[in-house]
């Protein structure tokens, strides 16, 4: 399936750096977007970039609360009748100069941001994605998941766990008949126009621009679920 004006896509972490670009690309393709962040105010930053007013709706949801996330999912289904995609953009980073200086408090934070929010959104929406007939669940991961550096232990481990969880969801979709697909998109880091403006002399080697990420996400909806389900697509060089 390709996105159209009947499609409904939930973007988690829409207030972050990539949120606006993803909203713009999805709404340009015709979809209605429900942009989720920790508060409606945060969500509004991302949904403001929709190509058409009203095509994207902000929602404040505590994705660390499973019951609240499930209630949100039920509300989206009740109002819109379907969910064709969930894009997990919730991010965060903590690191150290050396392995020995790693703080387990950083792991606890990243476990919440990168893993628990993913667990809760996938558990809340997997049935709806399956029922949509050609749904997509997309995780944005990082090269650190498979090649962590000494000071990136907590971040790399959290990203690796998030990938494993997403691939388990992909196996669930496969066993239910490939009616949906779970996909991992891998970047080294994301680049925004604001970052380029703040550091015009910067080279940002290996970074993926958020507009390019958004284009890749839209493309996934135009490919057969069986072909993309369970894939790990590397966007970084």
């Amino acid at each position: 399936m390709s996105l159209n004006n009947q499609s409904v896509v939930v973007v988690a972490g829409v207030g972050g750096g990539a949120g606006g670009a993803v909203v713009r690309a999805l709404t340009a393709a015709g979809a209605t977007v429900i942009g989720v962040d920790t508060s409606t105010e945060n969500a509004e930053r991302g949904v403001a970039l929709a190509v058409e007013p009203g095509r994207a709706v902000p929602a404040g949801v505590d994705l660390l609360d499973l019951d609240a996330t499930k209630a949100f999912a039920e509300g989206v289904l009740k109002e819109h009748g379907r969910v064709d995609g969930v894009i997990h953009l919730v991010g965060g980073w903590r690191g150290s100069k050396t392995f020995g200086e790693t703080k387990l408090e950083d792991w606890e934070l990243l476990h919440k941001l990168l893993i628990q929010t993913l667990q809760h959104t996938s558990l809340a929406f997997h049935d709806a994605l399956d029922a949509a007939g050609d749904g997509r669940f997309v995780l944005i991961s990082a090269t650190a998941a498979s090649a962590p550096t000494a000071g990136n232990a907590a971040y790399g481990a959290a990203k690796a766990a998030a990938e494993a969880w997403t691939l388990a969801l992909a196996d669930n979709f496969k066993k239910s008949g490939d009616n949906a697909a779970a996909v991992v998109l891998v970047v080294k880091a994301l680049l925004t126009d604001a970052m380029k403006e703040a550091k015009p002399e910067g080279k940002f080697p290996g970074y993926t621009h958020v507009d390019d990420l958004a284009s890749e996400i839209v493309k996934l909806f135009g490919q057969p679920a069986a072909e993309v389900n369970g894939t790990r697509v590397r966007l970084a060089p």
Side-chain angles (χ1 to χ4, degrees):
M1 123 184 154
S2 293
L3 292 168
N4 54 55
N5 59 11
Q6 302 299 315
S7 304
V8 178
V9 181
V10 174
V11 178
V14 74
V22 172
V23 168
R24 184 169 53 238
L26 290 171
T27 54
T32 294
V33 173
I34 317 300
V36 187
D37 215 291
T38 51
S39 69
T40 303
E41 182 181 22
N42 288 342
E44 286 173 345
R45 289 201 301 268
V47 304
L49 293 183
V51 297
E52 180 183 331
R55 179 62 76 177
V57 181
V61 182
D62 181 6
L63 298 178
L64 290 175
D65 184 330
L66 178 58
D67 290 337
T69 307
K70 287 184 174 180
F72 165 66
E74 291 169 2
V76 173
L77 272 176
K78 183 177 180 180
E79 182 173 354
H80 297 277
R82 60 188 297 127
V83 177
D84 299 281
V86 175
I87 315 301
H88 190 273
L89 298 178
V90 182
W93 181 84
R94 290 291 187 278
S96 56
K97 291 184 178 180
T98 68
F99 178 82
E101 292 175 304
T102 300
K103 297 178 180 178
L104 292 182
E105 292 86 351
D106 291 345
W107 162 256
E108 292 172 2
L109 175 64
L110 294 172
H111 178 262
K112 291 178 179 179
L113 293 176
L114 305 184
I115 303 173
Q116 285 189 330
T117 61
L118 171 71
Q119 291 172 324
H120 295 169
T121 51
S122 59
L123 290 170
F125 283 102
H126 78 280
D127 283 347
L129 293 173
D130 213 1
D134 204 14
R136 297 289 182 274
F137 188 99
V138 183
L139 168 70
I140 312 307
S141 188
T143 53
S146 58
T149 57
N152 239 1
Y155 179 73
K159 282 295 189 182
E163 287 194 15
W165 185 274
T166 303
L167 295 178
L169 175 61
D171 188 55
N172 175 77
F173 288 147
K174 180 179 180 181
K175 289 177 178 176
S176 65
D178 284 319
N179 291 319
V183 183
V184 177
L185 297 182
V186 182
V187 301
K188 174 184 177 182
L190 292 173
L191 177 64
T192 66
D193 288 341
M195 292 166 62
K196 292 168 68 176
E197 291 170 5
K199 193 176 180 181
E201 74 285 359
K203 299 300 182 182
F204 304 102
Y207 282 43
T208 300
H209 195 281
V210 291
D211 289 340
D212 295 328
L213 172 71
S215 295
E216 289 294 330
I217 290 171
V218 171
K219 280 184 192 176
L220 289 174
F221 286 89
Q223 299 171 267
E227 290 185 10
V228 297
N229 187 35
T231 58
R232 185 177 185 269
V233 182
R234 186 181 174 108
L235 304 182

